[in-house]
Amino acid sequence: MRYKFCSNCGAQLPLTIYPFTAQTCTRCGHTHYHNSRPCAGGLIVRDGRVLLVKRAVEPFKDCWDLPGGFLEAGEHPRDGMLREIREETGLDVRVLGFLGAYIDRYHFQDEEFFTLSSYYVVEPIGGELRAQDDVNAFAWFALDALPDAIAFEHPHAVLRDLREWMKRDF
Ligand SMILES: [Zn+2]
């Protein structure tokens, strides 16, 4: 995303060609950085299958997605992942391992930025599966029979890595 005005002095900022380049104010010299936004998500696994959620909201409405979302300020990715899973699925889960960190681009309406998502492999230990928040359906998928309509780019890499992780650690 690009900022239009300086947050320090209010002057108009120079427009950069690449939307993620830092913008420095020509009046006061203040630099506005465009960092990746931190997210966290969970691969909920049971009997060799993974739980995907169907998005009820744009972008990628009605596509399958991994449960997760944006972190709050100061929130550890692990805590954010547990919170998002509880909000979206109603499940309490136990962490089995950290899968990895993934970069993606989020582009919706006039917003465009990078995301940096931490993913954990987890298993359900309680709660009750129920659609809520920005999710309208769930399904358990075998890792060799995933749906075609998957939201965003990075979940393809995440699910590929999960397949390897399951062979190795499960
Ligand atoms: Zn300024």
Side-chain angles (χ1 to χ4, degrees):
M1 67 181 285
R2 297 180 183 90
Y3 296 114
K4 288 195 178 80
F5 299 101
C6 177
S7 64
N8 188 49
C9 76
Q12 200 153 6
L13 286 170
L15 277 185
T16 52
I17 294 167
Y18 188 59
F20 309 106
T21 305
Q23 292 166 276
T24 300
C25 178
T26 49
R27 187 155 85 191
C28 76
H30 185 76
T31 300
H32 303 70
Y33 295 98
H34 304 284
N35 299 320
S36 303
R37 296 199 189 167
C39 304
L43 287 312
I44 309 175
V45 294
R46 197 183 65 188
D47 303 326
R49 293 185 299 162
V50 63
L51 185 76
L52 300 184
V53 301
K54 195 175 242 189
R55 293 175 63 84
V57 292
E58 296 290 354
F60 294 104
K61 188 170 185 288
D62 295 325
C63 286
W64 292 99
D65 197 5
L66 304 167
F70 293 101
L71 296 179
E72 309 282 359
E75 187 177 44
H76 191 283
R78 191 180 183 282
D79 298 328
M81 175 274 298
L82 295 173
R83 173 181 57 72
E84 287 285 347
I85 284 182
R86 210 172 301 118
E87 285 172 10
E88 292 183 356
T89 70
L91 292 178
D92 293 316
V93 297
R94 184 170 77 91
V95 175
L96 300 174
F98 177 68
L99 189 67
Y102 300 82
I103 298 285
D104 204 350
R105 254 169 114 137
Y106 185 99
H107 195 174
F108 181 54
Q109 291 170 350
D110 57 352
E111 279 210 289
E112 189 177 11
F113 50 85
F114 279 105
T115 54
L116 170 59
S117 302
S118 300
Y119 276 95
Y120 295 84
V121 185
V122 303
E123 67 177 1
I125 51 165
E128 200 179 314
L129 196 55
R130 58 182 186 275
Q132 50 196 344
D133 208 19
D134 44 11
V135 163
N136 60 24
F138 304 100
W140 295 94
F141 289 95
L143 290 172
D144 56 2
L146 294 168
D148 289 331
I150 291 182
F152 306 106
E153 274 296 314
H154 74 278
H156 295 279
V158 175
L159 289 162
R160 234 177 1 248
D161 290 350
L162 177 65
R163 210 154 35 220
E164 294 305 308
W165 190 92
M166 301 267 276
K167 279 186 211 156
R168 206 172 56 233
D169 297 318
F170 219 52

